[in-house]
Amino acid sequence: MTERNTTVSHDLSSPTPALTLLRGPLPILAAAVLWGTTGTAATLGASHAPAAAVGSAGLVLGGFLLFLTGRGAWALIAGGDRSTRRTLALGAVAVAGYPLTFYPAVSEAGVAVATVITLGSSPVFSGLLAWWADRRRPDPRWTVATAAAVAGCAVLVLGSEGGGADPVRPLGVLAALAAGFSYSAYALIAERLIRRGHGSSAVMGALFLGGGLLALPVVAALGAGWLATGSGAAVALYLAVFTVFLAYRLFGQGLRHTPAVVATTLTLAEPAVAALLGVLVLHERLAPASWTGLAVLVLGLAVLRAPSPRRP
């Protein structure tokens, strides 16, 4: 059977819990863990380079890897109809917009805060975009989980204003919100293309090739001299292989069986990883109230993943 057929298959019997995890939550959560290392890796390996250039370089290299290994990616680009190409173009813009906003947010607000705001806001944007584009009204569970995410972000940002914690700059908050919008937009676009029957590897390869091409001039304009250093080359390679190529292959696999509005909330596991690395490795300081905000985010994730009550 081809990948196209498996994306829309329906089981005649109830899948085992392990199979259910492999079909949705587990690949997405694994991708979230990899993404949680992004800010720390960029800060440690290329602190002397422009933040947007670091993220764009990782996207360019990782995007080409996804395209070269994505079966059917070129056929999707060359053989798609006008609607498909328009959707791919919008997705590529959203993909390119993420590193151009997220990495500056990390530079302005710190790894922990920037990651939490980005991922905490993305479920809100995903739900609103899905409601606007597909007239899909969010369900009550999503509403509760998203409310917890918003509350957690608010507590984290407000809690950092005192108690000797590192201050949060408004520009960093705005950049993180823009990154959250970009992330939710391309997740929704990828889900739509995959549910039309296109292979997940083809969709991710096409989207990230376009995003990488759009980000390439940014790398050239901001300067690529830092790539000639050992630490700069190492961080670019790490970001490309682990946080772009591997993470988005896992994310695309998860989107085959998980709606984008749920997937973006599942990736709230990323802020916990980023916050712990920011505190333990980069020695960032979070006030007690900010830790409370992180706990509320975890609670929202737990609400989303709690078993649904069975109807008779």
Side-chain angles (χ1 to χ4, degrees):
M1 293 180 66
T2 63
E3 187 173 7
R4 176 185 295 269
N5 292 332
T6 59
T7 58
V8 293
S9 63
H10 297 278
D11 293 331
L12 298 178
S13 59
S14 299
T16 63
L19 185 59
T20 301
L21 285 173
L22 290 174
R23 285 183 171 182
L26 194 57
I28 292 173
L29 290 173
V33 171
L34 291 173
W35 289 331
T37 67
T38 299
T40 299
T43 302
L44 287 176
S47 58
H48 56 288
V54 175
S56 297
L59 173 60
V60 171
L61 296 174
F64 276 102
L65 281 175
L66 280 170
F67 173 72
L68 292 174
T69 59
R71 186 179 60 182
W74 176 248
L76 178 60
I77 297 172
D81 56 23
R82 181 176 299 179
S83 174
T84 299
R85 291 181 178 179
R86 187 184 304 116
T87 304
L88 286 172
L90 285 175
V93 172
V95 167
Y98 183 79
L100 294 178
T101 51
F102 176 72
Y103 288 90
V106 169
S107 179
E108 290 290 322
V111 172
V113 173
T115 306
V116 169
I117 294 176
T118 298
L119 272 297
S121 65
S122 60
V124 181
F125 290 128
S126 291
L128 294 177
L129 286 173
W131 196 355
W132 172 74
D134 301 329
R135 298 298 187 266
R136 288 186 293 176
R137 185 184 296 273
D139 59 33
R141 176 177 295 193
W142 176 89
T143 304
V144 172
T146 299
V150 173
C153 285
V155 172
L156 186 144
V157 174
L158 295 175
S160 67
E161 296 297 328
D166 297 328
V168 177
R169 300 175 184 176
L171 183 60
V173 174
L174 292 176
L177 289 172
F181 178 81
S182 296
Y183 167 62
S184 59
Y186 71 69
L188 194 67
I189 289 171
E191 179 214 5
R192 175 173 292 187
L193 290 169
I194 290 170
R195 293 192 182 278
R196 287 180 185 175
H198 302 294
S200 59
S201 60
V203 170
M204 288 299 173
L207 287 178
F208 278 80
L209 174 67
L213 291 175
L214 291 175
L216 187 58
V218 177
V219 180
L222 295 178
W226 59 276
L227 284 170
T229 65
S231 61
V235 72
L237 187 62
Y238 176 83
L239 293 177
V241 173
F242 291 97
T243 69
V244 176
F245 171 69
L246 181 57
Y248 282 102
R249 287 297 289 269
L250 290 168
F251 188 66
Q253 173 69 22
L255 281 178
R256 292 175 61 188
H257 304 279
T258 307
V261 292
V262 176
T264 51
T265 304
L266 282 171
T267 52
L268 289 175
E270 177 183 345
V273 176
L276 289 175
L277 289 176
V279 171
L280 297 176
V281 179
L282 302 179
H283 307 293
E284 294 179 351
R285 295 173 294 170
L286 292 179
S290 297
W291 286 109
T292 302
L294 287 177
V296 174
L297 279 175
V298 174
L299 177 62
L301 183 63
V303 168
L304 186 69
R305 291 308 309 152
S308 300
R310 293 184 178 273
R311 294 184 177 182

